[in-house]
Amino acid sequence: MSTNKEFDIVVYGATGFTGRLVAKYLATQYSNDKSLKWAMAGRSAAKLAQVRDEIGVPETIPLVAADVQDPTSLQAMVNRTKLMLTTVGPYQIYGSELIAMCAKSGVDYVDLCGEPVWMSEMIPTHEKAAQQSGARIVFSCGFDSIPSDMGVYHLQKLAKQQFGKVMPTVRCRVRKMKGTFSGGTSASFKETIAAAKKDPLKMKALLNPFSLTPKYQGVNQPFGNRPFFEADLNSWVAPFVMAVINTRNVQRSNFLLGKAYGEDFIYDEMFMTGPGEKGEAIANSMTNDKSMGGENGPKPGEGPNKEERESGFYDLLYIGSDSDGNEIKISVKGDKDPGYGSTSKLIAEAAICLVKDTTKTKGGIWTTAPAMGDNLIKRLENNAGITFTQE
């Protein structure tokens, strides 16, 4: 990986809704950090200049014009930076060329991908090139899947300290959440489902909890597709729409960490809806909710206003347990809405962490926990309004 680059980070997709938030965050949070060199990138230099002025980013921040339809412009952009931060999704439509270039050119890469089928195709295609060039490719650096990936990583670290061993079973339970999923997430979800319906191999990959761990299949995992009552939490739980990507990334982390969570590691995610008939009714309603794949959700480029982002939050509970009756709980909380306000901070900090704090991580296709570990937790707690707390 070349260190003689013009930029540390290029934010590609900076004129889009989430890209704007990332650029604004970097300009605000790192306004006094002269060591961080970053640029805004998108298809149109004129639109980039307009957005830069609209969101209050200083004129000193460079603009880079590059179009996914123009490979020459894309490669020229990649050549100028240490790391590509891309918010241009769905990645299965717009991301394959950029991944290939970064992997070949030794340029680090982070995205907001929640598309497990596409990721399962990219890993065997580009892992070798990334390992050879030194490029660190890290998918899913937003609300999917940093809180889950780092939450499980942190829980297992505490379990080893307290019990001398990891917990073979971990459950993630969403206690509270306020905010919407992004238009990009909705578009990616629809694209993934459409592709899987057309191709049996894609459908198989979508349904496989170990689709991101080539040649490795762990033990059977919960389906998480039906509501049920969980007595120890005194709450009904319903399927959680992000589980299909988060669980895959957590299993890949276990795989990349040398099965550090165990060969028999079981992980699932559900949404808590409360006790009694009311909790059951909400759980059933959530199970039957198809709005994520519907036409009325947010479109790419759209999103909540500032007040809605600021008033959003999430509270995720992680419960680790073993057959001896040992149990450990931690919470991961975010102070902004998950789909936009928190996600934009998460990916920005992951990018800086990869470039500045984890230079010893070798080339390859990673998840956040094995690539960045405690360095990322520290950054998120210090800068991004995320907390990791034992309960």
Side-chain angles (χ1 to χ4, degrees):
M1 186 179 69
S2 169
T3 50
N4 277 335
K5 292 295 183 82
E6 195 177 341
F7 308 120
D8 295 313
I9 297 166
V10 168
V11 179
Y12 186 50
T15 57
F17 197 92
T18 308
R20 287 173 183 234
L21 295 176
V22 174
K24 175 83 173 168
Y25 177 76
L26 287 172
T28 307
Q29 187 70 24
Y30 291 92
S31 58
N32 298 322
D33 187 348
K34 303 301 176 214
S35 72
L36 184 69
K37 298 174 291 181
W38 66 282
M40 293 169 62
R43 279 179 299 186
S44 160
K47 182 83 186 288
L48 282 164
Q50 181 192 334
V51 168
R52 183 175 63 181
D53 294 342
E54 279 174 11
I55 63 178
V57 170
E59 283 187 13
T60 51
I61 298 301
L63 307 176
V64 179
D67 189 339
V68 288
Q69 310 295 342
D70 177 5
T72 308
S73 71
L74 216 56
Q75 185 68 61
M77 170 177 68
V78 167
N79 291 344
R80 296 172 72 182
T81 188
K82 291 180 186 174
L83 179 143
M84 284 301 314
L85 182 165
T86 175
T87 62
V88 182
Y91 295 95
Q92 58 202 289
I93 298 176
Y94 302 115
S96 300
E97 188 90 44
L98 189 57
I99 280 268
M101 286 177 180
C102 288
K104 199 173 172 185
S105 306
V107 172
D108 295 343
Y109 167 103
V110 295
D111 69 16
L112 297 171
C113 189
E115 302 163 45
V117 178
W118 179 74
M119 289 159 61
S120 75
E121 293 165 352
M122 292 298 103
I123 290 166
T125 306
H126 299 300
E127 185 147 49
K128 202 165 192 179
Q131 288 168 344
Q132 288 171 345
S133 72
R136 287 92 54 86
I137 310 286
V138 190
F139 298 120
S140 311
C141 290
F143 179 65
D144 47 332
S145 298
I146 284 180
S148 293
D149 198 27
M150 302 313 301
V152 174
Y153 167 85
H154 189 60
L155 180 145
Q156 296 291 27
K157 186 181 167 189
L158 293 178
K160 279 185 89 169
Q161 289 170 4
Q162 283 177 237
F163 303 111
K165 58 180 180 175
V166 294
M167 297 286 115
T169 301
V170 178
R171 292 174 284 160
C172 167
R173 297 297 179 256
V174 184
R175 284 194 288 209
K176 290 178 186 171
M177 193 164 77
K178 183 186 176 190
T180 55
F181 296 109
S182 74
T185 297
S186 179
S188 296
F189 178 81
K190 285 190 264 197
E191 203 64 45
T192 297
I193 298 298
K197 282 180 177 173
K198 286 182 200 161
D199 185 339
L201 283 175
K202 282 183 165 53
M203 182 60 80
K204 190 179 175 188
L206 183 64
L207 298 175
N208 178 11
F210 298 95
S211 60
L212 304 185
T213 58
K215 298 180 182 159
Y216 173 71
Q217 286 281 327
V219 296
N220 287 339
Q221 302 292 314
F223 282 113
N225 60 345
R226 288 193 178 88
F228 59 90
F229 184 74
E230 231 164 12
D232 67 322
L233 298 175
N234 189 31
S235 177
W236 281 85
V237 294
F240 178 46
V241 72
M242 309 313 293
V244 71
I245 180 63
N246 293 340
T247 54
R248 275 61 169 167
N249 276 317
V250 169
Q251 291 294 350
R252 180 161 173 82
S253 285
N254 183 40
F255 172 72
L256 291 173
L257 290 164
K259 326 273 176 41
Y261 309 158
E263 296 266 359
D264 55 350
F265 176 62
I266 293 172
Y267 178 67
D268 77 315
E269 299 190 344
M270 303 289 283
F271 203 111
M272 292 172 66
T273 59
E277 289 181 7
K278 185 181 176 187
E280 184 179 10
I282 296 169
N284 285 321
S285 173
M286 285 183 73
T287 304
N288 296 318
D289 179 18
K290 302 289 186 281
S291 59
M292 179 71 121
E295 294 306 313
N296 297 325
K299 306 286 185 287
E302 295 177 358
N305 62 35
K306 187 180 181 192
E307 188 184 335
E308 288 167 329
R309 295 195 305 270
E310 298 283 331
S311 65
F313 61 86
Y314 51 90
D315 174 4
L316 313 176
L317 176 67
Y318 294 84
I319 309 140
S321 56
D322 65 13
S323 55
D324 298 329
N326 295 313
E327 188 176 84
I328 184 168
K329 292 180 181 177
I330 72 154
S331 66
V332 178
K333 296 178 183 177
D335 67 347
K336 296 282 184 290
D337 81 295
Y340 298 91
S342 190
T343 277
S344 54
K345 297 194 288 185
L346 288 164
I347 191 171
E349 290 299 338
I352 296 169
C353 185
L354 201 57
V355 172
K356 298 273 191 187
D357 306 338
T358 48
T359 51
K360 288 185 178 151
T361 299
K362 292 184 168 67
I365 298 185
W366 295 92
T367 44
T368 50
M372 295 176 254
D374 294 327
N375 287 326
L376 183 56
I377 289 178
K378 191 175 169 187
R379 273 201 173 273
L380 296 177
E381 292 203 311
N382 288 344
N383 303 320
I386 314 291
T387 57
F388 296 79
T389 314
Q390 186 169 355
E391 300 197 347

